[in-house]
Amino acid sequence: MKGRNQTIISEFLLLGLSSQPQHQNLFFDLFLSIYLITVLGNLLIIILIRLDSHLHTPMYLFLSILSFSDLCFSSVTMPKLLQNMQSQIPSIPYAGCLTQIYFFLFFGDLDNFILVAMAYDRYVAICFPLHYTTIMSPKLCLSLVMLSWVLTTFHALLHTLLMARLSFCVDNMIPYFFCDMSALLKLACSDTHVNYLVIYIMGGLVVVLPFLLIILSYARIVSSILRVPSAQGIHKAFSTCGSHISVVSLFYGPVIALYLCPSANNSTVKDTVMSLMYTVVTPMLNPFIYSLRNRDMKGALGRVFCQKKIPTYV
């Protein structure tokens, strides 16, 4: 039976980035610029990989999916954030909140699994170079991508359905700039034990396990590199691993700190900053860290956009 303080919530207020009016336009311009850079950078990577046959390899297949996921992941929160910055009341409908949770989890999880696939690809390429083509076959690559989509769909749908069964109290203010699960659970009036149990169990499987697999892959890579006498090979391999580890740290660090190891004295400001790191900053930096400083991508840029048109005759 519902308590007296329970009501039907039709919308939530997103207060995570509310600021003084004189700073509103500055923040709007800043986040609009970040979003445009994210969209254009990731679209550029997808287009280059699609058009340049030299990039039709497992590594760049995974990279194109990561770019697509980052673009969508950023689009789940950024347009609504920008809209709310121009609105008097930064609200989101109840149904919109659940939809945002689903796609936020879906593309966030997809990032997880694609990062694991990329780490495994680098592990095979550096530790078993002679067997790379055989191991990283099109069938295996397709299987890894399909498995990632199935797992992300299941995980996102599970949490969304568990959230939809909850009832909420009169308080509808979320101290974040998006519909964060942990914040919503604190507003719920009904029992949330199942939700928290699933968060910790599935969080270990979807976040911690992939993170450990990535660390294990790079540890094996480093061990293999140290046995190679070539200074050029060592530099190239460490350069590649350094880029990957940078993105992995930016993504997993805030996620683990926010959801799996929360501290009681964490302020809203600190939580907001950590949320911005993996929802806004990381998708923007990925094109630069992974690709645009990559020699293969620079070559693709030249071939796709700077090549001369050669007439063909039938």
Side-chain angles (χ1 to χ4, degrees):
M1 189 173 73
K2 292 185 177 182
R4 286 179 294 181
N5 289 332
Q6 288 179 278
T7 185
I8 298 176
I9 296 292
S10 61
E11 65 178 15
F12 294 97
L13 300 180
L14 303 175
L15 306 178
L17 283 179
S18 58
S19 61
Q20 298 178 0
Q22 62 267 30
H23 299 149
Q24 202 72 11
N25 289 334
L26 176 63
F27 278 110
F28 179 83
D29 293 340
L30 173 64
F31 286 105
L32 177 61
S33 300
I34 290 175
Y35 183 57
L36 290 176
I37 292 171
T38 302
V39 171
L40 294 176
N42 285 290
L43 274 179
L44 178 60
I45 290 174
I46 295 170
I47 292 170
L48 285 178
I49 294 173
R50 177 68 180 86
L51 295 181
D52 195 314
S53 59
H54 294 83
L55 301 181
H56 293 174
T57 64
M59 173 183 171
Y60 290 105
L61 166 68
F62 295 139
L63 184 55
S64 65
I65 297 173
L66 181 69
S67 294
F68 172 76
S69 180
D70 281 339
L71 191 158
C72 296
F73 187 54
S74 182
S75 298
V76 171
T77 56
M78 288 295 283
K80 186 61 182 175
L81 170 62
L82 293 170
Q83 179 190 350
N84 283 343
M85 283 184 170
Q86 297 296 300
S87 172
Q88 295 293 330
I89 303 176
S91 63
I92 184 171
Y94 173 78
C97 193
L98 290 180
T99 302
Q100 191 179 69
I101 286 175
Y102 174 81
F103 285 107
F104 183 85
L105 289 172
F106 181 89
F107 290 112
D109 291 346
L110 188 58
D111 266 10
N112 274 342
F113 294 118
I114 295 301
L115 286 172
V116 175
M118 292 178 73
Y120 179 69
D121 174 80
R122 292 299 83 203
Y123 164 69
V124 175
I126 294 174
C127 298
F128 305 99
L130 299 179
H131 303 285
Y132 177 77
T133 306
T134 305
I135 297 174
M136 297 304 296
S137 63
K139 183 178 179 180
L140 176 63
C141 293
L142 182 61
S143 298
L144 289 174
V145 172
M146 293 302 297
L147 179 63
S148 298
W149 280 83
V150 170
L151 291 176
T152 54
T153 300
F154 169 74
H155 183 243
L157 191 60
L158 175 62
H159 280 297
T160 305
L161 292 176
L162 286 175
M163 193 65 66
R165 74 183 181 86
L166 299 178
S167 55
F168 294 90
C169 300
V170 177
D171 186 10
N172 66 340
M173 292 182 290
I174 300 175
Y176 289 88
F177 60 92
F178 64 96
C179 284
D180 179 75
M181 275 202 309
S182 61
L184 277 175
L185 289 176
K186 293 176 182 176
L187 300 179
C189 290
S190 49
D191 183 47
T192 58
H193 285 92
V194 174
N195 295 73
Y196 280 112
L197 181 64
V198 172
I199 285 176
Y200 282 104
I201 293 175
M202 297 302 295
L205 296 175
V206 175
V207 179
V208 177
L209 183 59
F211 179 69
L212 293 177
L213 289 174
I214 291 172
I215 295 300
L216 177 62
S217 297
Y218 289 132
R220 297 293 298 271
I221 288 172
V222 171
S223 175
S224 177
I225 289 171
L226 294 177
R227 294 196 297 267
V228 178
S230 169
Q232 183 180 0
I234 292 175
H235 174 75
K236 182 179 179 181
F238 268 118
S239 176
T240 303
C241 293
S243 299
H244 292 194
I245 291 173
S246 297
V247 172
V248 167
S249 301
L250 280 173
F251 183 80
Y252 281 100
V255 170
I256 292 175
L258 266 177
Y259 299 111
L260 299 182
C261 304
S263 59
N265 59 351
N266 264 2
S267 67
T268 301
V269 175
K270 289 182 180 179
D271 288 351
T272 300
V273 170
M274 286 192 289
S275 298
L276 285 171
M277 284 299 296
Y278 76 92
T279 59
V280 177
V281 177
T282 301
M284 179 190 68
L285 292 180
N286 278 358
F288 300 99
I289 294 177
Y290 267 126
S291 304
L292 299 184
R293 62 187 292 266
N294 181 295
R295 187 162 43 187
D296 293 337
M297 294 300 294
K298 289 179 181 178
L301 272 172
R303 287 188 292 270
V304 171
F305 294 107
C306 302
Q307 65 182 353
K308 295 180 179 179
K309 299 289 184 181
I310 301 176
T312 57
Y313 302 94
V314 179

